[in-house]
DNA sequence: GGAATGACATTTA
DNA sequence: CTAAATGCCATTC
């Protein structure tokens, strides 16, 4: 299984209305490749299968999105996540894989 | 096999 | 506190 595939697998576990960080994902994989995580999303092989939009920066900042940041914001708000100044309140919506 | 790239994070100014 | 520079991992050219 490739690294990116693992990322996708974890992303599917994220509940609706919650978000996580690239770092958290990397940590869940027992790795520090948060860069690679974002890269995996960029490939977007499993775009419709995986909620890539539920992944944000460490401080809740919306780093980017393959389909456009605007679209990402929209999707998150649809799920009940409030976005302020292109940022998310991690205190409220942060989801930890907590292994 | 080596160099370049990116949806990041952390440290320093 | 905000902005800029540096380091990092895996993938791709």
């Amino acid at each position: 299984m490739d690294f990116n595939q693992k990322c996708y697998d974890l992303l599917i576990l994220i509940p609706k209305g919650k978000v996580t960080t690239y770092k958290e994902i990397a940590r869940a994989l027992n790795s520090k490749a948060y860069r690679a995580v974002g890269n995996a999303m960029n490939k977007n092989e499993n775009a419709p299968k995986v909620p890539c939009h539920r992944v944000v920066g460490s401080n809740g900042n919306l780093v980017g999105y393959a389909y456009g940041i605007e679209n990402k914001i929209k999707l998150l708000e649809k799920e009940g996540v409030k976005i302020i100044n292109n940022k998310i309140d991690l205190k409220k919506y942060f989801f930890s894989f907590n292994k």
Side-chain angles (χ1 to χ4, degrees), chain A residues 64-83:
Chain A
Y65 188 57
Y67 291 85
I69 300 294
E70 297 298 331
N71 201 342
K72 184 171 182 177
I73 295 172
K74 254 163 96 177
L75 286 170
L76 288 172
E77 286 202 338
K78 256 186 208 173
E79 303 195 347
V81 179
K82 278 289 195 180
I83 299 179

Side-chain angles (χ1 to χ4, degrees), chain A residues 20-37:
Chain A
T20 188
T21 65
Y22 298 94
K23 180 157 194 195
E24 183 62 26
I25 295 171
R27 205 186 63 179
L29 294 176
N30 203 33
S31 178
K32 309 167 236 49
Y34 23 88
R35 279 275 199 170
V37 175

Side-chain angles (χ1 to χ4, degrees), chain A residues 5-89:
Chain A
Q5 193 63 45
K6 288 185 183 181
C7 297
Y8 303 142
D9 195 46
L10 287 174
L11 288 179
I12 296 172
L13 300 179
I14 303 176
K16 184 183 105 172
K18 293 271 185 176
V19 297
T20 188
T21 65
Y22 298 94
K23 180 157 194 195
E24 183 62 26
I25 295 171
R27 205 186 63 179
L29 294 176
N30 203 33
S31 178
K32 309 167 236 49
Y34 23 88
R35 279 275 199 170
V37 175
N39 223 338
M41 303 298 109
N42 186 257
K43 304 292 196 293
N44 226 359
E45 305 175 13
N46 308 36
K49 304 178 185 180
V50 174
C52 326
H53 58 275
R54 291 182 189 153
V55 188
V56 299
S58 59
N59 68 331
N61 193 358
L62 296 180
V63 191
Y65 188 57
Y67 291 85
I69 300 294
E70 297 298 331
N71 201 342
K72 184 171 182 177
I73 295 172
K74 254 163 96 177
L75 286 170
L76 288 172
E77 286 202 338
K78 256 186 208 173
E79 303 195 347
V81 179
K82 278 289 195 180
I83 299 179
I84 303 166
N85 198 359
N86 282 26
K87 285 179 198 156
I88 293 177
D89 192 338

